[in-house]
Amino acid sequence: MDSLEDGNHTAVMECILLGLTDDPVLGVILFMIILCIYLVIISGNLSTIILIRISSQLHHPMYIFLSHLAFVDMGYSSSVTSNMLMNFLMERNTISYLGCAIQLSSVFFFGTVKCFLLAAMAYDRFVAICSPLLYSTKMSTQVCVQLLIVAYIGGFLNTSSSTFSFLSLFFCGPNQVNHFFCDFTSLLELSCSDTSIPAVIPSFSTGSIIVVTVCVIALSYIYVLITILKMHFTEGRHKAFSACTSHLTVVSLFYGTITFIYVMPKSSYSTDQNKVVSVFYMVVIPMLNPLIYSLRNKEIIGALKTELKRQILSIDAYFNSRYGI
């Protein structure tokens, strides 16, 4: 174990992650399952980004936000999944102090940006349904870029405060983290230094962001619901509901699991349940998001069919010109 002398204490410079299981056979099975899920995450979200990029009919604020959400999902999952996959194949699952800091920073950054993006997408739906005639003005390219800048700056600021809080901790005793990644709450329990301030700062900043973004989402959909109920035509109501269902599904899955982990009292669930829910929102949800948006979105399906036809025609044209077929 790497260590460093500091006064009367020996500083621990690495942590041992206990992971999801200590059974080697189950570890191999979980490795195969999570590897397959991770490949779907990368391919699904990358395909979404490329499709939105090359398809002119998807160059709208909602899909611009969706492409950034796909990028964030890849980063969010990769920050934890890549290390977790390696640990399944290793006998001793260790991660350095610096590695923990990098992993925590990535989780906080991508998680925070995701909260802001989901709020921006809810606002976009609010404007599109409640003020359709003013949509091009209220959701112009400039406004869209400004919302994205706010999302990434918010992610950077929250990450900075959380990372500094982690770096202020001193570890000198047990170094076994009962999790599959450097969970900040688990690390606080291992710290030898005073954790009152380092525990409060990330909780306050992250909690404030969650509350603000949830309020924006809730208020947006309350106004959307009121507007839909005022519609006289069933077809208009159905179209408006369809425009919101995919986003509402993603919001419910993400904030539902976050509430379970960070809001419910720890006495109401076990550490193993915490791990399962963490796997769900860090690994499973990033895999589901492209499927939810693509399977329930006619514009994305239409754009995909158009691009596939275009590629097939270009391949046919190439062979015709090359071989005279």
Side-chain angles (χ1 to χ4, degrees):
M1 182 191 304
D2 293 336
S3 60
L4 184 69
E5 292 293 335
D6 181 34
N8 296 325
H9 301 283
T10 302
V12 176
M13 300 304 293
E14 67 176 15
C15 296
I16 299 174
L17 302 176
L18 298 184
L20 292 173
T21 180
D22 55 359
D23 186 341
V25 176
L26 182 57
V28 173
I29 295 172
L30 288 173
F31 172 82
M32 296 302 297
I33 293 172
I34 293 176
L35 177 61
C36 291
I37 292 174
Y38 184 59
L39 292 175
V40 173
I41 291 170
I42 298 300
S43 58
N45 285 289
L46 194 58
S47 299
T48 300
I49 294 171
I50 294 172
L51 179 62
I52 293 172
R53 179 73 176 175
I54 64 177
S55 179
S56 58
Q57 67 190 82
L58 297 179
H59 290 175
H60 303 297
M62 184 65 177
Y63 297 108
I64 294 173
F65 291 137
L66 180 57
S67 66
H68 283 268
L69 181 66
F71 165 72
V72 166
D73 275 336
M74 285 195 298
Y76 194 49
S77 181
S78 297
S79 62
V80 172
T81 307
S82 54
N83 185 71
M84 180 168 57
L85 288 172
M86 287 190 293
N87 286 344
F88 277 129
L89 304 178
M90 293 182 180
E91 201 171 308
R92 191 162 179 259
N93 306 333
T94 59
I95 184 170
S96 66
Y97 183 78
L98 178 61
C100 253
I102 294 171
Q103 190 179 72
L104 270 176
S105 298
S106 301
V107 170
F108 274 110
F109 177 75
F110 289 114
T112 303
V113 174
K114 186 169 184 175
C115 289
F116 280 111
L117 285 175
L118 291 175
M121 293 169 81
Y123 175 72
D124 175 81
R125 292 299 84 197
F126 158 72
V127 176
I129 294 173
C130 299
S131 306
L133 298 177
L134 299 175
Y135 183 77
S136 59
T137 304
K138 289 187 175 182
M139 285 304 297
S140 62
T141 303
Q142 184 179 0
V143 173
C144 186
V145 170
Q146 288 173 348
L147 290 173
L148 288 172
I149 290 173
V150 169
Y152 285 102
I153 289 178
F156 174 76
L157 292 176
N158 188 41
T159 301
S160 299
S161 64
S162 302
T163 304
F164 286 134
S165 295
F166 169 73
L167 294 175
S168 68
L169 298 176
F170 180 77
F171 301 95
C172 61
N175 66 334
Q176 290 189 337
V177 180
N178 192 12
H179 221 300
F180 59 85
F181 75 104
C182 289
D183 178 55
F184 189 74
T185 306
S186 301
L187 291 169
L188 283 174
E189 296 173 357
L190 300 178
S191 176
C192 300
S193 55
D194 180 28
T195 61
S196 55
I197 295 177
V200 169
I201 293 174
S203 297
F204 177 77
S205 59
T206 304
S208 299
I209 289 167
I210 291 174
V211 170
V212 169
T213 53
V214 166
C215 287
V216 171
I217 294 169
L219 287 172
S220 296
Y221 278 111
I222 287 171
Y223 281 106
V224 165
L225 181 60
I226 293 171
T227 303
I228 291 174
L229 293 176
K230 289 180 180 179
M231 293 179 179
H232 300 292
F233 299 102
T234 306
E235 185 179 350
R237 287 184 179 182
H238 178 72
K239 188 176 180 180
F241 273 122
S242 298
C244 300
T245 50
S246 297
H247 181 253
L248 274 173
T249 303
V250 172
V251 167
S252 300
L253 288 172
F254 182 67
Y255 281 100
T257 51
I258 283 182
T259 300
F260 182 90
I261 293 291
Y262 298 108
V263 177
M264 290 179 62
K266 288 187 178 181
S267 58
S268 63
Y269 59 88
S270 65
T271 304
D272 289 336
Q273 288 175 318
N274 182 305
K275 291 180 185 180
V276 171
V277 176
S278 296
V279 168
F280 186 76
Y281 80 84
M282 287 186 165
V283 180
V284 178
I285 290 179
M287 177 193 68
L288 294 177
N289 285 352
L291 300 176
I292 292 170
Y293 278 106
S294 60
L295 295 177
R296 300 185 63 89
N297 193 303
K298 292 181 181 179
E299 286 186 332
I300 288 183
I301 294 173
L304 180 60
K305 289 179 179 178
T306 301
E307 293 303 323
L308 288 175
K309 287 179 182 177
R310 185 179 299 174
Q311 292 300 319
I312 292 171
L313 289 174
S314 64
I315 292 171
D316 287 342
Y318 170 78
F319 278 105
N320 286 334
S321 61
R322 187 78 169 80
Y323 303 105
I325 298 175

